[in-house]
Amino acid sequence: MRKIFTLVLFCLAAASFPLLAQDYDESFVFTDADGNVIENESVIVRNQVETNSEGQEVIFSGISVRNMVGSTDYIKMYYEIERLDNGYYQICFPTTCNMQDEEGGFETAIGQLMGNMQDIQSEWFPDDDGECVVTLTLELYTKGGGFPPTYNHKAWGPSITLNFVKGGDPGPGPLPGDVNGDGEVNIADVNAVIGMIQSDVTTPSGDVNGDGEVNIADVNALIDMIV
């Protein structure tokens, strides 16, 4: 079985971030710039350097969060900066902005999306060539009473890892057929495609045969790769 080396391991420090529990919730999902749903635990590489209005170099994640079910839940973003070679990382979500210039575990304030879908504004401002690696994890809350109000944990949402790269080689691209992004092509990827077909929620990785659709033909293409 072919495998690829993953640059980032998803490991949140137990003292700072609870492990993802079994109450995983898909009410909110990560999406790319085209609105496609990004599968849980995917690794996203970004290496397009731009210049903002202030003359700073910046690499944008191009990632948003979408409310899939019209939920009124409140949400928070945990983020673990696992590598930060230089510069600083910024995240604005849902309504406040945080900036960090060192590795570690952090979190945003609790709030609600400003609409059905909201840009996270997750970006790295590099001073020089290098990498910035950040894992984002959503947590859902319900709002209690009192003043100031209390917020109660409801469920964990999805996680993704952003790998910002300036200069050098961003590493290997996605492994063909690795639908779930775990670095292998096996029966789990077949199940992932079947799940997409049943739920009618697809991602680009599910189009295994490259015909622009996610259907039973992609299941068959995966089976051919595995056997």
Side-chain angles (χ1 to χ4, degrees):
M1 186 61 60
R2 297 169 57 199
K3 297 185 179 180
I4 59 173
F5 176 71
T6 301
L7 291 173
V8 182
L9 293 177
F10 175 62
C11 54
L12 301 181
S16 302
F17 302 104
L19 295 176
L20 292 182
Q22 294 182 353
D23 54 352
Y24 173 73
D25 191 294
E26 296 179 302
S27 298
F28 295 85
V29 297
F30 292 103
T31 65
D32 63 19
D34 296 321
N36 299 307
V37 174
I38 300 174
E39 190 168 350
N40 183 41
E41 298 185 352
S42 293
V43 178
I44 311 298
V45 178
R46 293 288 185 259
N47 60 358
Q48 182 177 349
V49 181
E50 303 180 37
T51 302
N52 65 12
S53 58
E54 298 177 356
Q56 293 176 290
E57 289 190 326
V58 58
I59 302 178
F60 296 98
S61 70
I63 302 298
S64 298
V65 171
R66 178 189 294 172
N67 187 337
M68 298 294 286
V69 297
S71 170
T72 58
D73 291 327
Y74 287 72
I75 49 180
K76 172 195 288 186
M77 187 82 73
Y78 285 105
Y79 56 106
E80 178 81 6
I81 302 177
E82 303 181 43
R83 177 171 178 175
L84 185 61
D85 290 344
N86 55 69
Y88 67 91
Y89 170 75
Q90 174 176 280
I91 181 170
C92 297
F93 185 82
T95 57
T96 58
C97 291
N98 297 352
M99 292 186 295
Q100 268 79 36
D101 59 5
E102 60 183 2
E103 297 175 4
F106 309 93
E107 62 186 58
T108 67
I110 298 175
Q112 290 182 303
L113 291 188
M114 295 181 290
N116 181 59
M117 185 162 61
Q118 181 178 332
D119 178 11
I120 300 176
Q121 297 183 42
S122 167
E123 53 226 1
W124 177 42
F125 292 84
D127 294 328
D128 205 343
D129 289 356
E131 292 186 56
C132 172
V133 179
V134 184
T135 295
L136 308 177
T137 304
L138 283 170
E139 184 178 9
L140 282 61
Y141 289 83
T142 56
K143 185 177 181 180
F147 184 82
T150 58
Y151 296 92
N152 304 309
H153 167 85
K154 177 183 179 182
W156 289 101
S159 295
I160 60 171
T161 296
L162 300 171
N163 181 12
F164 300 94
V165 181
K166 181 187 177 187
D169 185 358
L175 178 65
D178 182 19
V179 178
N180 62 6
D182 66 354
E184 302 182 23
V185 178
N186 52 32
I187 192 64
D189 298 294
V190 175
N191 292 334
V193 174
I194 293 174
M196 291 182 190
I197 296 171
Q198 292 175 334
S199 65
D200 200 29
V201 177
T202 65
T203 69
S205 65
D207 182 18
V208 179
N209 62 4
D211 66 354
E213 300 181 4
V214 178
N215 51 34
I216 193 65
D218 297 294
V219 175
N220 293 333
L222 271 172
I223 294 174
D224 288 340
M225 291 181 182
I226 295 171
V227 298

